[in-house]
Amino acid sequence: MVSKRIIPCLDVRNGRVVKGVNFEGIKDMADPVEMARYYNESGADELVFYDITASFEGRRLFTDVLKAVASEIFIPLTVGGGINSLEDFDRVLKFGADKVSVNSGAISNPALISDAAKRYGSQCVVLSMDVKRVGGEYHVFAKGGREDTGLEAVAWAKCGEELGAGEIVLNSIDTDGVRGGFDMPMLRAIGEVVSLPLIASGGAGKPEDFSELFTYDRIDAGLAAGIFHTKQVQIRDLKRYLKDCGVNVRTEGIYD
Amino acid sequence: MIAVVDYGVGNLFSLSSSLKFLGLDCVVTNRKEDLLAADKIILPGVGAFGDAIRKLNETGLTDTVKEQAKLKPLLGICLGMQLLFDKSLEFGEHEGLGLIPGVVAPLSDDINPQLKIPHMGWNRLEIKKDDPIFKYFKSGEFVYYVHSFYAKDCTESVLAVSYYDVAVPGLVRKGKVYGAQFHPEKSGDAGLRLLKAFAEI
């Protein structure tokens, strides 16, 4: 059977990996290529790169980083950040991305999902959702978590599935960077109605958070940034721990 | 020299990067001369079967690929592997290259409906028949899959399988023709070792 995936997420700005808390307070962390190498050797199952630079110059730096990583890291790479058109898909796919994650761009133009799925296949289109509780409902936020779109998250996830997304990343703004565990109620609310592979994000603080996450069988992968970047949790140790807990994770071939 | 057939289907960046990373000489090409001169051929591919076979035909390379497959090792990857079979049932019925007996059919017809489609992610590859391509590979290592259709009625050619309710042929071989349903160029170190062994065949 398919193993549960552990995915480190690298936010890249001006050619460097950075990290914020609750989507704010950005801090410089490391060189992305070195970090990708480290994650590849530690047994990461996939890497996600978010391009959080706004300027043209920043975008150019980002594609250089992507190309450098894709030239020597041979696990799936997902790229997100500022993807608003099929031209944006082309730009990152040409430099080694395997999947492209859409967020605000798909909210303002849902046809981006179906157009991209038609051109590149559903497996290439990842719908990323930033979700926050607003008055007893789950709302989808845009613009890096700054803007409440008013969209109800469960309905938007279903819509994304119907439009042809191949995977969904569920990022909880409420638990992001807090390291108190994944947002299980939100993940369950969406997991019950969507049959696409689901990647949980936001809130991982310790190995036990991942074992709790995977007790819910609709979740396929756990994504985190801060705890992996600081080496507070090493993926290698996390996978051994999960294996001992009876979770099916990829270990063979990465410790030789 | 390994020739990677470029027929406008999918992203060849990581495949050519992985061959270069292994120190292998390769050329991404749609020229017949390159396929004739190469000592091995890789046929990649993502997307839909009908579209891919049409694009391959449009390059005018189909007959060359079929002829060269008798003379030198050829590796089809993912959709490139599916093209090697007699036919596919993806959105209608399409004729394949007929290099390996078998048919490509939807996974959804044969597996527990609770399981997600596509079969996507890391799965163990279990060796069923020993082969030089496993020179650096241990049975049970994980490889990376993304696909919704799979090869059937090809028992004789199966070298290794992965279990996703059914036994999904992961690696097949007939004569000099190999096919990998998973992506060796995305399967980390284990995938690189399979590519290295292929290059040494």
Side-chain angles (χ1 to χ4, degrees):
Chain A
M1 293 308 289
V2 178
S3 66
K4 301 292 183 186
R5 288 171 280 158
I6 302 296
I7 307 175
C9 170
L10 291 80
D11 289 333
V12 179
R13 185 171 69 172
N14 296 326
R16 298 280 294 174
V17 178
V18 296
K19 174 62 190 158
V21 175
N22 289 105
F23 285 48
E24 284 164 4
I26 303 283
K27 183 168 103 188
D28 186 81
M29 306 272 307
D31 172 62
V33 182
E34 269 171 37
M35 208 160 213
R37 252 185 231 132
Y38 159 72
Y39 284 133
N40 184 53
E41 284 157 16
S42 338
D45 295 309
E46 218 165 295
L47 293 174
V48 174
F49 285 84
Y50 278 121
D51 177 0
I52 59 169
T53 45
S55 71
F56 175 75
E57 189 58 21
R59 293 259 179 269
R60 210 175 53 84
L61 263 173
F62 182 83
T63 40
D64 287 349
V65 165
L66 178 60
K67 205 170 157 184
V69 169
S71 302
E72 50 175 305
I73 307 298
F74 304 108
I75 56 177
L77 302 176
T78 301
V79 167
I83 304 292
N84 295 304
S85 64
L86 290 180
E87 288 68 41
D88 293 329
F89 270 78
D90 272 337
R91 176 172 57 84
V92 295
L93 289 171
K94 199 167 67 189
F95 293 112
D98 298 293
K99 311 180 197 179
V100 182
S101 140
V102 293
N103 190 329
S104 301
I107 295 168
S108 51
N109 173 25
L112 180 60
I113 298 174
S114 44
D115 291 348
K118 263 180 227 133
R119 186 182 292 186
Y120 306 106
S122 283
Q123 84 290 337
C124 191
V125 186
V126 181
L127 175 61
S128 178
M129 298 172 43
D130 295 331
V131 180
K132 188 175 173 24
R133 286 167 181 76
V134 178
E137 275 193 333
Y138 295 111
H139 280 199
V140 180
F141 278 61
K143 310 269 162 65
R146 287 189 296 272
E147 185 186 299
D148 183 359
T149 62
L151 271 175
E152 201 278 311
V154 178
W156 177 231
K158 272 215 80 78
C159 178
E161 178 169 42
E162 281 157 19
L163 288 167
E167 237 175 6
I168 299 184
V169 177
L170 296 171
N171 190 32
S172 169
I173 297 178
D174 294 320
T175 61
D176 179 68
V178 180
R179 302 192 179 180
F182 289 95
D183 192 342
M184 298 309 296
M186 183 273 280
L187 296 170
R188 283 180 186 277
I190 293 171
E192 290 312 302
V193 298
V194 169
S195 57
L196 291 179
L198 295 177
I199 299 170
S201 161
K206 53 189 185 305
E208 291 78 5
D209 296 335
F210 287 88
S211 50
E212 189 202 358
L213 175 70
F214 292 128
T215 57
Y216 182 42
D217 64 358
R218 304 298 298 171
I219 299 296
D220 298 86
L223 179 146
I227 53 158
F228 294 149
H229 296 346
T230 58
K231 303 191 184 174
Q232 183 187 336
V233 173
Q234 303 239 26
I235 292 181
R236 191 176 287 262
D237 301 334
L238 172 61
K239 284 192 152 182
R240 283 205 183 107
Y241 167 80
L242 288 172
K243 197 179 180 185
D244 290 343
C245 293
V247 178
N248 176 19
V249 284
R250 178 179 69 110
T251 49
E252 284 73 7
I254 62 177
Y255 302 132
D256 304 341
Chain B
M1 167 77 82
I2 299 176
V4 176
V5 186
D6 179 7
Y7 56 109
V9 176
N11 171 8
L12 306 179
F13 188 90
S14 49
L15 180 57
S16 59
S17 298
S18 57
L19 298 173
K20 281 177 202 148
F21 186 78
L22 289 166
L24 301 167
D25 203 8
C26 77
V27 57
V28 176
T29 182
N30 59 6
R31 291 163 17 125
K32 183 177 173 180
E33 310 82 278
D34 291 331
L35 301 194
L36 299 182
D39 48 32
K40 295 194 178 62
I41 296 173
I42 295 183
L43 184 65
V46 291
F49 192 100
D51 187 46
I53 202 85
R54 181 179 55 78
K55 283 187 173 145
L56 183 62
N57 287 336
E58 280 168 11
T59 61
L61 292 174
T62 309
D63 289 338
T64 310
V65 168
K66 283 192 195 171
E67 284 156 18
Q68 294 300 304
K70 298 191 185 90
L71 307 171
K72 57 188 70 162
L74 179 144
L75 171 65
I77 296 176
C78 195
L79 183 62
M81 175 250 210
Q82 298 184 354
L83 296 181
L84 304 172
F85 290 93
D86 296 323
K87 67 174 178 181
S88 165
L89 306 176
E90 182 175 357
F91 305 124
E93 191 171 317
H94 304 274
E95 197 183 327
L97 298 176
L99 292 168
I100 302 180
V103 55
V104 177
L107 260 177
S108 56
D109 287 357
D110 298 334
I111 65 170
N112 179 343
Q114 294 287 25
L115 285 172
K116 294 180 181 182
I117 301 275
H119 171 218
M120 173 157 83
W122 297 85
N123 203 339
R124 289 178 187 278
L125 185 67
E126 317 270 356
I127 298 175
K128 294 291 169 194
K129 203 187 285 177
D130 202 20
D131 190 274
I133 201 159
F134 299 124
K135 186 173 173 191
Y136 306 110
F137 186 87
K138 281 199 309 263
S139 187
E141 288 194 76
F142 284 84
V143 292
Y144 188 79
Y145 285 90
V146 184
H147 66 118
S148 304
F149 291 75
Y150 78 119
K152 280 173 85 166
D153 306 331
C154 57
T155 321
E156 303 238 311
S157 315
V158 173
L159 295 182
V161 300
S162 292
Y163 293 97
Y164 196 61
D165 203 17
V166 293
V168 173
L171 259 171
V172 293
R173 176 188 176 185
K174 181 166 190 266
K176 294 183 191 306
V177 180
Y178 286 85
Q181 179 62 72
F182 56 89
H183 285 273
E185 79 283 13
K186 284 288 150 195
S187 297
D189 192 52
L192 290 177
R193 284 186 267 113
L194 288 166
L195 286 174
K196 181 175 154 73
F198 172 72
E200 291 175 8
I201 286 166

